[in-house]
Amino acid sequence: MKLKGEKQESSDCDEGSKGKMTLLLALVALISAFGSSFQYGYNVSVINSPAPYMRDFYNRTYFNRTGVPMDSGFQTLLWSLTVSMYPLGGLFGSLMVWPMVNNCGRKGTLLINNLFSITAAILMGTSEIAKTFEVIILSRVIMGIYAGLASNVVPMFLGEISPKNLRGAMGIVPQLFITIGILVAQIFGLSSILGNVKGWPVLLGLTGIPSLIQLLILPFFPESPRYLLLQKGNEEQARQALQRLRGWDDVDDEIEEMRQEDRSEKEEGHFTVLSLCTFRGLRWQLISIIVMMMGQQLSGVNAVFYYADRIFQSAGVDANNVQYVTVSIGAINVVMTLLAVFIVESLGRRVLLLAGFGLCCVSCAVLTLALNLQTTVSWMSYLSIACVIVYIIGHAIGASPIPFLLITEMFLQSSRPAAFMVGGSVHWICNFTVGLVFLYMEAGLGAYSFLIFCAICLATIVYIFIIVPETKNKTFMEINQIMAKRNKVEIQGDKEEFKDFHTVPGGQTEKKEFASVEL
């Protein structure tokens, strides 16, 4: 650890810039992810188990109001709205990312966002007493807005406060808590706990508790130092935040790296979504996040979960025990995402992306074969189960967590909020589209649906292999310079240099030169 007011040799500086996981950094990650990302996952799966009881409540409420039973077509429409309003709200939330994180900060946006969750939790929890199903549908939109903001702002916040050697692991923490949220909703949704006629309003209302905890604790933690320095221009606050997060006083190297990034971006100012989409210097970064987000959502993860119950029943699992099998799949998802947290810094982002989409691609192809042959070949149903598990593992280590991490890494401060807005919007539009189209696709194609998902995974693999660079252990500026070559934008090391003077031991002045990117 460096001592305050002291400068060491550049080799020591390099060692010092390798941050350690401090208690404060870990707590910020846990509170941010538990208070926000956890609820994204929780609300994805919370209505699956109590669906029959909720539909019955819709019907009963309608009958009490009108005196006639609800038409089955109208009931299906209401339930479709209940399910699909969540991703639609997610799209609205993603569109709010750019203005909110620029005006309120990363931490400030998370705190304001909690109000959406707490409001929706109260409305859903009291819907049965109030005898109104409309507020459930409204609350799903509000929770979607919450999830749309949370799914973008938490990775951005954690990526900006992390030292470069921990950025990958910290970037996967939000996805880990999404999977934990899904698992907790599955466990609480068991018919013996809250997935029953009396428990479902409590099950829906529990989502407000993590938000309340975050609202009480997060204000005591620092804001993103990059936001404070590069967007607010407050170096003193940025320095104090960095010192708290790193656990030592000498943070000059990181402050200088931020200044260097700031100087390289001065001419462009802050990007709007329109200027991001038309700016040549960020073309391949933008295409990359769109392709990875589309690959993530269109690779069939929703379809695999949809088919899972049927696959396990065909393998001889009792219908009453399928809910426990669903919980076990959720547990596999959590364990493999946790593994990704620990291996992303050693294996790198590219390897996990390629391996993840590769496993998904192969398992979709084999699953098509197994589902078509399981009526004639007895052991094929067990192969189907193996394919589901392999698919879940593939998605958990690469396809789910890495794309959001790469948005943080491939964009600099001025363009990052707009990039998250684009990436998040693609994520939720594709999520909504799959939910809308898959039932029709399944009715028309049956098990052959998985061949489409297999082709999408393969196309994503090819793109990642050719275009996406490894970003492990690189600064944001270094990654930007790699992508500048891809964009055929000149790195003008000879034309223009950033000169920075440091005093080294012995009182001599050392000049550091940084190549800048002409964007």
Side-chain angles (χ1 to χ4, degrees):
M1 190 186 290
K2 299 178 188 175
L3 298 173
K4 190 172 183 178
E6 214 178 87
K7 297 269 176 156
Q8 297 180 9
E9 297 292 343
S10 59
S11 61
D12 293 338
C13 287
D14 290 340
E15 284 299 309
S17 66
K18 273 202 164 190
K20 61 180 182 179
M21 178 60 78
T22 59
L23 178 62
L24 185 72
L25 190 59
L27 285 174
V28 174
L30 291 173
I31 294 297
S32 303
F34 173 66
S36 297
S37 306
F38 173 88
Q39 294 190 77
Y40 171 14
Y42 185 87
N43 285 283
V44 162
S45 71
V46 73
I47 61 169
N48 294 349
S49 301
Y53 309 109
M54 290 174 69
R55 293 174 79 142
D56 182 53
F57 164 67
Y58 286 16
N59 198 13
R60 206 168 58 247
T61 305
Y62 185 83
F63 181 76
N64 290 340
R65 287 180 194 171
T66 62
V68 291
M70 189 184 283
D71 176 64
S72 63
F74 184 54
Q75 189 180 24
T76 305
L77 173 66
L78 283 178
W79 187 250
S80 298
L81 284 172
T82 307
V83 175
S84 61
M85 283 298 111
Y86 184 64
L88 194 64
L91 173 61
F92 297 150
S94 293
L95 296 175
M96 293 163 63
V97 170
W98 183 81
M100 284 194 71
V101 295
N102 283 333
N103 293 311
C104 309
R106 280 64 169 149
K107 187 179 84 168
T109 301
L110 290 179
L111 289 171
I112 294 166
N113 198 24
N114 287 319
L115 300 178
F116 288 116
S117 170
I118 293 166
T119 304
I122 293 167
L123 289 175
M124 288 192 289
T126 57
S127 58
E128 193 185 27
I129 300 165
K131 293 184 170 51
T132 168
F133 53 77
E134 290 89 350
V135 298
I136 295 177
I137 297 169
L138 174 65
S139 299
R140 291 287 289 173
V141 180
I142 297 170
M143 276 314 303
I145 292 170
Y146 175 87
L149 275 164
S151 63
N152 290 291
V153 179
V154 178
M156 188 192 306
F157 182 46
L158 297 187
E160 288 183 6
I161 66 173
S162 307
K164 66 180 181 182
N165 61 307
L166 295 175
R167 204 168 55 224
M170 291 282 279
I172 294 177
V173 167
Q175 182 61 35
L176 174 63
F177 273 84
I178 290 171
T179 61
I180 292 170
I182 292 171
L183 178 61
V184 169
Q186 288 169 341
I187 293 169
F188 284 178
L190 293 172
S191 54
S192 55
I193 303 177
L194 290 173
N196 50 53
V197 70
K198 288 185 177 177
W200 69 262
V202 179
L203 184 67
L204 297 182
L206 284 176
T207 191
I209 294 173
S211 274
L212 201 57
I213 293 169
Q214 188 184 65
L215 199 58
L216 294 172
I217 298 176
L218 194 62
F220 298 102
F221 293 137
E223 174 60 274
S224 161
R226 285 180 176 274
Y227 170 76
L228 293 171
L229 180 64
L230 303 185
Q231 287 175 252
K232 286 295 175 189
N234 193 328
E235 186 179 326
E236 189 51 42
Q237 280 188 7
R239 189 178 290 276
Q240 287 171 5
L242 259 183
Q243 287 168 343
R244 286 181 66 195
L245 289 164
R246 297 294 176 263
W248 56 61
D249 289 339
D250 188 349
V251 290
D252 287 349
D253 291 329
E254 278 194 81
I255 292 285
E256 183 49 48
E257 189 244 314
M258 289 182 208
R259 281 208 203 102
Q260 179 192 346
E261 182 180 326
D262 190 34
R263 285 189 293 252
S264 78
E265 295 186 296
K266 270 284 189 258
E267 291 174 20
E268 287 83 32
H270 289 296
F271 283 84
T272 61
V273 171
L274 184 64
S275 60
L276 177 68
C277 293
T278 55
F279 187 58
R280 184 185 159 194
L282 294 171
R283 185 176 299 159
W284 281 108
Q285 287 97 311
L286 189 66
I287 295 169
S288 296
I289 63 161
I290 290 171
V291 168
M292 286 187 289
M293 282 299 175
M294 288 179 73
Q296 181 197 66
Q297 288 302 306
L298 302 180
S299 58
V301 63
N302 297 355
V304 169
F305 275 110
Y306 174 80
Y307 256 94
D309 289 3
R310 210 180 304 178
I311 289 166
F312 283 102
Q313 279 181 5
S314 68
V317 178
D318 186 76
N320 294 324
N321 293 330
V322 165
Q323 58 180 344
Y324 299 106
V325 173
T326 308
V327 169
S328 65
I329 289 177
I332 292 169
N333 206 2
V334 171
V335 170
M336 295 315 296
T337 310
L338 183 62
L339 176 66
V341 172
F342 291 105
I343 62 175
V344 68
E345 295 299 358
S346 52
L347 294 181
R349 286 66 157 149
R350 252 173 77 88
V351 172
L352 289 186
L353 274 174
L354 292 169
F357 277 109
L359 288 173
C360 291
C361 183
V362 171
S363 52
C364 279
V366 178
L367 190 57
T368 308
L369 180 73
L371 288 172
N372 280 300
L373 294 178
Q374 68 183 15
T375 49
T376 51
V377 183
S378 59
W379 53 268
M380 277 293 171
S381 54
Y382 299 105
L383 182 61
S384 302
I385 292 175
C387 287
V388 169
I389 292 168
V390 169
Y391 183 94
I392 298 295
I393 290 170
H395 224 273
I397 62 167
S400 285
I402 307 296
F404 275 112
L405 166 62
L406 284 177
I407 301 180
T408 306
E409 295 192 323
M410 291 173 89
F411 292 87
L412 298 180
Q413 195 73 15
S414 61
S415 53
R416 194 173 293 127
F420 264 103
M421 194 163 149
V422 172
S425 298
V426 172
H427 171 95
W428 289 102
I429 289 169
C430 292
N431 189 318
F432 181 70
T433 306
V434 169
L436 213 59
V437 171
F438 177 67
L439 289 177
Y440 297 103
M441 210 163 93
E442 197 263 333
L445 296 171
Y448 290 104
S449 308
F450 288 100
L451 284 180
I452 296 173
F453 301 133
C454 176
I456 290 168
C457 289
L458 187 61
T460 312
I461 289 167
V462 171
Y463 179 88
I464 290 165
F465 185 77
I466 296 170
I467 302 292
V468 179
E470 181 53 73
T471 57
K472 179 181 76 172
N473 219 15
K474 291 181 171 67
T475 65
F476 292 130
M477 279 301 293
E478 287 166 350
I479 297 163
N480 202 50
Q481 290 176 2
I482 293 167
M483 293 307 292
K485 291 174 187 171
R486 172 77 61 198
N487 290 317
K488 294 186 168 55
V489 175
E490 189 180 355
I491 299 180
Q492 46 170 2
D494 299 327
K495 291 185 184 177
E496 181 185 333
E497 290 164 335
F498 296 133
K499 293 181 173 59
D500 178 49
F501 293 88
H502 279 287
T503 305
V504 295
Q508 297 168 318
T509 303
E510 175 195 37
K511 183 175 79 175
K512 287 186 179 179
E513 295 181 346
F514 302 99
S516 73
V517 186
E518 182 189 56
L519 296 176

